[in-house]
């Protein structure tokens, strides 16, 4: 810690509740309402959920505790953290550098999907996307995503929106916003869930969600489930290191991580409960994939009484979820530029947002101008999504575990975690050490190699 220059008091989260709101705000996102239901629908319902849960417990949650601990100890951004904690070998900072890269790649496609969600609030309110005929809702969605101007504009709008909150700061921007939005999110989700459960197809929907079909679970599916576990908990790319650096010293890290994981899982399951009964009631297919949200939902919900209100609510829910997540991803490069180059928060945000608008447009134009521009058979949109969830985040997570468990070492981990008064007895720390040294690295390595067909 000797060589950290602390010039001015660092902005940070101000209360335990603020920490939970911001961290949960990061975890909950399009992952819960866009990826989780789509991937569950495609990959065998409950069987996929079980594999996802196991990866969360054996890898995702472990990396989360590791990242938060590193960040809180170093009080630094994702890259500088490694330099501060291990000045002898600066190559560990490559983990942070890869994290900053991942942040750009994730935001490139994430802000695009968020742009569609924001656009759909207005389209649903004006009634223009509502129809009981999926052909009509599908045509409406096609029209939006194949229009280069609309796609880029909505993405830029989203970027400016989250950029403005980031400029306001960690406590006055991120913490304040997420603290207000998270309760609204839960409220809307429960309302839609209850409405959906009252439909005649509720039983079929729930059965689909909770009955496992293991025949669909291949090596690639297991990797997808693990990728989702990383994506969901926002780990493997420095977000949790950055947020950890804003934690107070008496915050109980393992408990916070566990709470956030459980609350996030609840949101995913509630999203499934909100969506699948409705899908079954009106005879749609649960395997619609990513279009489930934009094509199936408007068609399904517009058939029920007051459906239009629920469609608007659904996309407001999506927008709220996406906002907390985008704030946390954007914070990774912003915190780095701010700390490393001494740039003001304003300047580092503007620079990041401009760069993102450029990279993001390659994703935004993936369905129009750049539809035929493919690498490894994928459009830029799909490539950014695939590379981050199925490669960069798990690999980042693996190296973070190796760093914490083997390089930084047991003693430092114990010292860093026993700041939390409640952890004095050390049993939880011992369990964490076992997981971070052995269980998580082996799990991640095996799943990665199998999923990418190396073994
Ligand atoms: N956890 C967010 C979601 O589920 C996405 C995210 C990924 C956020 C990586 C931060 C970092 O939507």
């Amino acid at each position: 810690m000797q060589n950290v220059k602390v010039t001015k008091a660092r902005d940070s989260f101000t209360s335990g509740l603020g920490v939970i709101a911001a961290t949960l705000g990061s975890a909950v996102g399009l992952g819960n309402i866009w990826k989780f239901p789509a991937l569950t629908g495609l990959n065998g319902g409950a069987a996929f959920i079980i594999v996802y849960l196991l990866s969360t417990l054996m890898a995702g949650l472990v990396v989360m505790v590791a990242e938060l601990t590193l960040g809180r100890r170093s009080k630094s951004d994702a890259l500088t953290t490694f330099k501060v904690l291990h000045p002898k070998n600066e190559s560990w900072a490559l983990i942070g550098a890869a994290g900053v890269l991942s942040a750009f790649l994730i935001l490139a496609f994430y802000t695009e999907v968020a742009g569609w969600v924001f656009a759909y609030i207005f389209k649903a309110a004006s009634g223009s996307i509502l129809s009981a005929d999926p052909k009509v809702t599908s045509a409406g969605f096609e029209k939006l995503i194949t229009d280069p101007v609309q796609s880029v504009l909505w993405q830029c709008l989203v970027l400016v929106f989250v950029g403005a909150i980031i400029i306001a700061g960690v406590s006055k921007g991120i913490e304040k916003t997420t603290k207000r939005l998270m309760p609204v999110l839960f409220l809307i989700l429960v309302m839609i869930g209850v409405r959906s459960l009252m439909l005649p197809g509720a039983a079929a929907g729930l059965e689909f969600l909770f009955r496992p079909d293991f025949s669909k679970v291949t090596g690639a599916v297991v990797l997808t489930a693990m990728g989702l576990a990383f994506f969901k908990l926002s780990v493997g790319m420095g977000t949790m290191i950055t947020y950890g650096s804003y934690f107070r010293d008496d915050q109980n890290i393992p408990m916070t991580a566990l709470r956030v994981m459980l609350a996030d899982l609840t949101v995913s399951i509630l999203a499934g409960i909100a969506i699948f009964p409705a899908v079954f009631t009106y005879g749609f297919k649960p395997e619609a994939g990513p279009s489930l949200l934009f094509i199936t939902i408007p068609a399904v919900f517009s058939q029920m009484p007051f459906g239009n209100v629920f469609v608007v609510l659904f996309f407001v829910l999506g927008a709220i979820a996406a906002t907390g997540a985008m704030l946390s991803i954007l914070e990774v490069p912003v915190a780095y530029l701010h700390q490393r180059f001494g740039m003001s928060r304003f300047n580092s945000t503007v620079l990041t947002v401009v760069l993102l608008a450029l990279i993001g447009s390659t994703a935004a134009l993936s369905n129009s101008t750049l539809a035929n521009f493919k690498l490894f058979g994928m459009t830029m949109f799909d490539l950014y999504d695939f590379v981050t969830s199925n490669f960069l985040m798990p690999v980042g997570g693996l190296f973070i575990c190796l760093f914490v468990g083997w390089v930084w070492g047991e003693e430092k981990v114990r010292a860093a975690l026993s700041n939390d008064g409640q952890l004095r007895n050390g049993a939880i720390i011992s369990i964490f050490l076992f997981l971070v040294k052995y269980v998580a690295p082996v799990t991640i390595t095996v799943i990665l190699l199998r999923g990418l067909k190396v073994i």
Side-chain angles (χ1 to χ4, degrees):
M1 298 281 263
Q2 309 81 311
N3 31 16
V4 210
K5 267 191 285 160
V6 183
T7 32
K8 189 160 58 170
R10 244 171 138 252
D11 197 1
S12 62
F13 299 136
T14 57
S15 65
L17 195 66
V19 166
I20 294 278
T23 315
L24 185 60
S26 167
V28 168
L30 294 171
N32 306 66
I33 55 164
W34 175 61
K35 277 194 171 211
F36 177 84
L39 292 175
T40 305
L42 283 170
N43 299 313
F48 180 80
I49 301 184
I50 292 171
V51 181
Y52 160 71
L53 263 181
L54 287 175
S55 334
T56 301
L57 293 176
M58 290 163 71
L61 196 59
V62 183
V63 180
M64 188 170 185
V65 173
E67 283 196 34
L68 291 172
T69 310
L70 291 175
R72 187 178 66 186
R73 196 51 159 185
S74 71
K75 297 270 180 284
S76 299
D77 64 81
L79 212 149
T80 315
T81 285
F82 294 95
K83 296 192 178 174
V84 168
L85 299 180
H86 194 55
K88 274 193 236 122
N89 184 351
E90 296 217 333
S91 31
W92 286 100
L94 281 174
I95 301 176
V100 174
L101 172 73
S102 301
F104 274 100
L105 296 182
I106 295 175
L107 274 178
F109 74 88
Y110 206 94
T111 49
E112 179 54 18
V113 184
W116 300 336
V117 171
F118 278 70
Y120 261 52
I121 298 177
F122 298 97
K123 290 182 193 283
S126 73
S128 70
I129 51 156
L130 300 179
S131 160
D133 182 357
K135 285 205 200 75
V136 178
T137 55
S138 161
F141 183 53
E142 281 286 308
K143 204 168 138 225
L144 170 65
I145 65 173
T146 54
D147 181 340
V149 179
Q150 276 212 54
S151 307
V152 171
L153 270 183
W154 279 108
Q155 182 177 44
C156 288
L157 212 82
V158 165
L159 277 169
V160 170
F161 173 64
V162 282
I165 303 176
I166 285 291
I167 288 173
V170 176
S171 50
K172 295 212 177 72
I174 300 175
E175 180 176 349
K176 210 163 145 195
T177 310
T178 49
K179 233 158 111 178
R180 285 195 185 145
L181 291 182
M182 280 296 115
V184 184
L185 180 134
F186 272 92
L187 194 73
I188 299 183
L189 198 54
V190 170
M191 271 168 65
I192 302 179
V194 169
R195 180 69 192 87
S196 205
L197 283 177
M198 283 157 36
L199 293 170
L206 294 184
E207 198 192 319
F208 172 78
L209 193 61
F210 296 116
R211 193 198 42 209
D213 173 3
F214 282 101
S215 69
K216 294 235 172 92
V217 180
T218 60
V221 168
V222 175
L223 177 57
T224 305
M226 183 173 75
L228 182 67
F230 277 85
F231 189 84
K232 280 300 329 103
L233 292 183
S234 319
V235 295
M237 40 81 58
T239 291
M240 288 300 160
I241 299 182
T242 312
Y243 269 23
S245 77
Y246 305 136
F247 272 34
R248 297 177 321 168
D249 282 331
D250 58 356
Q251 187 78 25
N252 184 330
I253 288 181
M255 210 37 152
T256 307
L258 193 66
R259 279 203 188 127
V260 167
M261 186 281 269
L262 289 174
D264 176 65
L265 182 67
T266 310
V267 175
S268 292
I269 302 281
L270 280 176
I273 292 179
I275 292 174
F276 289 114
V279 167
F280 279 87
T281 301
Y282 297 106
F284 286 89
K285 291 235 174 323
E287 299 95 358
S291 63
L292 191 64
L293 191 56
F294 298 99
I295 298 176
T296 316
I297 293 296
V300 162
F301 281 70
S302 61
Q303 300 189 37
M304 50 194 218
F306 300 108
N308 48 347
V309 178
F310 283 97
V311 180
V312 175
L313 276 180
F314 202 93
F315 287 102
V316 170
L317 169 79
I320 292 178
T323 300
M326 290 188 290
L327 290 176
S328 70
I329 314 176
L330 193 54
E331 184 62 22
V332 174
V334 169
Y336 169 64
L337 291 173
H338 178 61
Q339 182 165 353
R340 172 73 179 77
F341 300 103
M343 285 168 75
S344 70
R345 212 171 153 82
F346 182 85
N347 287 346
S348 27
T349 309
V350 172
L351 177 65
T352 311
V353 164
V354 170
L355 277 173
L356 268 168
L358 291 174
I359 306 175
S361 65
T362 60
L365 298 173
S366 277
N367 295 299
S368 51
T369 325
L370 298 177
N372 294 323
F373 182 70
K374 292 190 176 166
L375 272 180
F376 308 108
M378 287 179 261
T379 61
M380 292 305 105
F381 181 97
D382 293 333
L383 185 70
Y384 299 155
D385 183 5
F386 182 86
V387 167
T388 47
S389 277
N390 291 8
F391 186 71
L392 283 172
M393 296 170 90
V395 172
L398 171 64
F399 280 99
I400 288 167
C401 289
L402 295 179
F403 179 81
V404 168
W406 298 96
V407 179
W408 202 37
E410 203 167 320
E411 232 169 85
K412 299 233 173 74
V413 172
R414 282 195 188 276
L417 276 177
S418 41
N419 276 353
D420 314 355
Q422 294 98 318
L423 291 183
R424 247 170 284 133
N425 65 23
I428 293 178
I429 306 182
S430 303
I431 298 174
F432 168 68
L433 277 165
F434 177 69
L435 292 170
V436 83
K437 279 173 97 162
Y438 307 102
V439 178
V442 172
T443 310
I444 301 172
T445 310
V446 172
I447 295 183
L448 253 181
L449 295 179
R450 279 287 303 197
L452 298 173
K453 300 210 170 67
V454 183
I455 53 170

